Amino acid sequence: MIKYGILSTASIVPRFVKGVRESGNGEVTAIASRGEAKAKQKAEELNIEKYYGSYEELYEDKDVDVIYIATINFLHYQNIKDALNAGKHVVCEKPMVLKKEEAIELFGLAKEKGLFLVEAQKEIFLPITNIVKDIVKNKEIGDVGLLDFSTSFPGDYNAWTLDLSKGGGVFFTNAVYCIEYLEYIFGKPISLYSGMRLKSKEFGGDKECILNFKIDNEALATSKISGYVKLLNKLFIYGSEGYIEMDNFYRADKMTIHYYDDRVVKEVSYPMSCEMTFEVKHFNECIEKGMIESDIMTKDMTIHSVEILEEIQNSWKC
């Protein structure tokens, strides 16, 4: 049984805890916050046995095998480094870090210490995502030429999400979803990328952005992300013989396949109670096998997505 310690009491934590408990070979033994009262409250809400008022106490807990990091984006680098130096395997929420050299350094440190390190990216482990991957590979809707992503969320659902100094902005918060989804379903890296944004005057981060991607000479993709206006939160994947439509691709449990000819519209569904269960199962299996990297959510995928984030961010002049 793989034993997890949770670093942070963020809004995503209950879902990850549920995923661990549904995984079949994982359990959550402790949770830490920067204050004991907050850690105790969350531990009681989630029925976690131990709680700590500092991250250091969690790192030192000998009963914890893996640290799951769900802190604010700009804290990830130091949190990961501290956990690895304490001898713990690490699962860190996306985006793992905000700079390419930080990702390279941390994967190097994990390798040096023989510890498992991975970026948590639930979407690529979803059954629906893997059905899409097979559809693209087998050309079930013909040659795929264009993907259209639309996602939005309230800009104030967490106080820091538009604060650039804390790694906020809808770009840093959300863009890895489409970047890593594209690279996973096509099985190759994005070759060209660019973007535009609307900047939050109050917090400095972007409140809205549009991103463009190219996969070799095979397909184009656009991603519209907003913390400013409400979008339909849909993904369309257009092929030469039909197209796929789905809601909330990053946690999808169903999709619709439309054909341009007389074939009947196909509905595909995979009901689930927690979208994080699938990734946790994989992480547990990797750790049990003594692996230090995931062969699905790969080191190279994380490093390349951070590189894309960094270069697009640096390209914005205003």
Side-chain angles (χ1 to χ4, degrees):
M1 190 70 73
I2 305 297
K3 297 179 179 180
Y4 283 82
I6 309 296
L7 193 73
S8 174
T9 56
S11 58
I12 198 171
V13 165
R15 282 180 286 153
F16 188 82
V17 170
K18 186 175 183 181
V20 172
R21 289 172 174 162
E22 287 189 356
S23 70
N25 58 339
E27 62 177 316
V28 177
T29 61
I31 188 168
S33 185
R34 286 174 290 185
E36 186 173 314
K38 197 170 184 179
K40 180 181 180 182
Q41 179 185 358
K42 188 61 70 172
E44 290 174 348
E45 289 175 6
L46 299 175
N47 195 26
I48 298 171
E49 180 183 356
K50 291 183 286 186
Y51 57 87
Y52 299 114
S54 72
Y55 297 163
E56 290 71 24
E57 290 174 278
L58 182 63
Y59 298 143
E60 294 169 3
D61 188 332
K62 295 180 180 179
D63 291 330
V64 170
D65 302 313
V66 189
I67 302 290
Y68 167 68
I69 295 171
T71 51
I72 295 173
N73 292 346
F74 84 114
L75 296 175
H76 289 179
Y77 167 74
Q78 192 62 52
N79 293 154
I80 295 169
K81 192 170 185 177
D82 291 343
L84 291 172
N85 282 325
K88 306 297 186 185
H89 302 293
V90 176
V91 173
C92 183
E93 267 306 325
K94 55 80 191 166
M96 177 180 282
V97 286
L98 304 177
K99 296 180 180 180
K100 179 182 177 181
E101 62 264 28
E102 292 177 346
I104 293 171
E105 177 191 343
L106 292 171
F107 278 110
L109 179 61
K111 182 177 181 180
E112 175 188 319
K113 293 184 173 294
L115 295 168
F116 181 73
L117 172 61
V118 71
E119 179 182 23
Q121 184 55 283
K122 60 191 177 184
E123 63 178 12
I124 69 171
F125 296 94
L126 297 175
I128 288 294
T129 300
N130 283 282
I131 293 170
V132 170
K133 185 177 176 70
D134 287 340
I135 288 172
V136 172
K137 180 181 179 181
N138 298 326
K139 299 189 176 183
E140 291 181 30
I141 55 170
D143 293 316
V144 172
L146 183 66
L147 299 92
D148 185 358
F149 298 82
S150 296
T151 53
S152 61
F153 55 91
D156 59 353
Y157 87 105
N158 277 322
W160 62 272
T161 52
L162 293 182
D163 189 340
L164 186 60
S165 70
K166 295 181 179 178
V170 297
F171 173 65
F172 275 141
T173 302
N174 198 280
V176 289
Y177 281 131
C178 56
I179 291 170
E180 291 168 354
Y181 191 93
L182 284 168
E183 296 201 340
Y184 178 67
I185 65 169
F186 283 99
K188 58 182 69 174
I190 292 166
S191 51
L192 289 173
Y193 40 87
S194 63
M196 298 182 291
R197 70 171 176 177
L198 291 180
K199 189 176 180 181
S200 168
K201 295 179 180 178
E202 184 178 0
F203 299 107
D206 52 290
K207 60 182 180 180
E208 195 165 77
C209 65
I210 297 177
L211 310 172
N212 297 303
F213 304 103
K214 185 177 183 181
I215 305 286
D216 287 343
N217 199 39
E218 187 171 344
L220 299 175
T222 184
S223 177
K224 304 175 287 292
I225 308 170
S226 183
Y228 178 52
V229 297
K230 188 173 182 179
L231 306 179
L232 294 178
N233 286 8
K234 282 184 174 286
L235 167 60
F236 291 93
I237 302 175
Y238 296 98
S240 56
E241 297 177 20
Y243 67 93
I244 295 169
E245 176 185 2
M246 75 177 78
D247 296 330
N248 302 311
F249 73 97
Y250 47 86
R251 53 180 172 85
D253 60 1
K254 60 184 177 181
M255 66 178 174
T256 304
I257 305 173
H258 305 263
Y259 297 99
Y260 301 137
D261 56 22
D262 296 330
R263 280 176 285 177
V264 176
V265 171
K266 185 188 295 185
E267 301 283 347
V268 180
S269 64
Y270 197 106
M272 57 189 176
S273 62
C274 181
E275 75 272 24
M276 293 187 168
T277 302
F278 307 98
E279 64 174 345
V280 176
K281 282 184 176 180
H282 172 72
F283 301 155
N284 292 346
E285 290 167 3
C286 289
I287 292 167
E288 288 174 337
K289 292 176 182 178
M291 297 169 64
I292 61 171
E293 299 171 14
S294 167
D295 55 355
I296 296 177
M297 185 60 232
T298 66
K299 172 185 73 175
D300 290 343
M301 190 183 297
T302 293
I303 291 173
H304 193 228
S305 71
V306 175
E307 180 180 22
I308 291 172
L309 289 177
E310 191 175 9
E311 291 191 0
I312 291 178
Q313 174 70 24
N314 290 339
S315 73
W316 287 331
K317 305 301 182 184
C318 60

